[in-house]
Amino acid sequence: GEGEQVRYTSSKDGTVKYIFFYEAPVNSVALHKLQLPKSAKLSLLGSKGKIRHQSTVDGTVISFPKNAFRGLAYVYVVKAED
């Protein structure tokens, strides 16, 4: 879930959301404060792996590919575009 290790921001026009993880998530993470449309495209900045997501009644579950965080450090940023 969110807690102190996850922060959000968005572009001025609201079409791009950024999710900052201060710890590398393990496989998947449920975000209760974020509802993304099915059409949203997610990418992990600095990584080429595909990020999947699923909307639920409680928010959004983001699934990361194996080894997505290898070679990345400090802050992990997911970009979600409508």
Side-chain angles (χ1 to χ4, degrees), residues 1-2 6 8 17 19 21 28-38 40 42 51-64 78 80:
E2 281 90 330
V6 179
Y8 301 95
K17 293 172 182 54
I19 308 145
F21 295 93
S28 67
V29 64
L31 300 173
H32 304 289
K33 296 179 181 178
L34 182 67
Q35 192 72 42
L36 293 174
K38 192 174 187 177
L42 277 62
I51 308 297
R52 295 183 331 220
H53 73 285
Q54 178 180 0
S55 294
T56 68
V57 183
D58 296 324
T60 299
V61 175
I62 298 176
S63 300
F64 298 94
V78 172

Side-chain angles (χ1 to χ4, degrees), residues 9-24:
T9 191
S10 61
S11 60
K12 283 186 178 184
D13 63 5
T15 60
V16 179
K17 293 172 182 54
Y18 295 93
I19 308 145
F20 295 83
F21 295 93
Y22 292 96
E23 285 182 359

Side-chain angles (χ1 to χ4, degrees), residues 16-21 41-49 51 64 68-73 75-81:
V16 179
K17 293 172 182 54
Y18 295 93
I19 308 145
F20 295 83
F21 295 93
K41 294 179 180 150
L42 277 62
S43 59
L44 177 64
L45 301 185
S47 174
K48 294 181 181 177
I51 308 297
F64 298 94
F69 303 100
R70 180 175 289 160
L72 303 177
V75 178
Y76 308 94
V77 183
V78 172
K79 180 179 177 182
E81 296 182 77

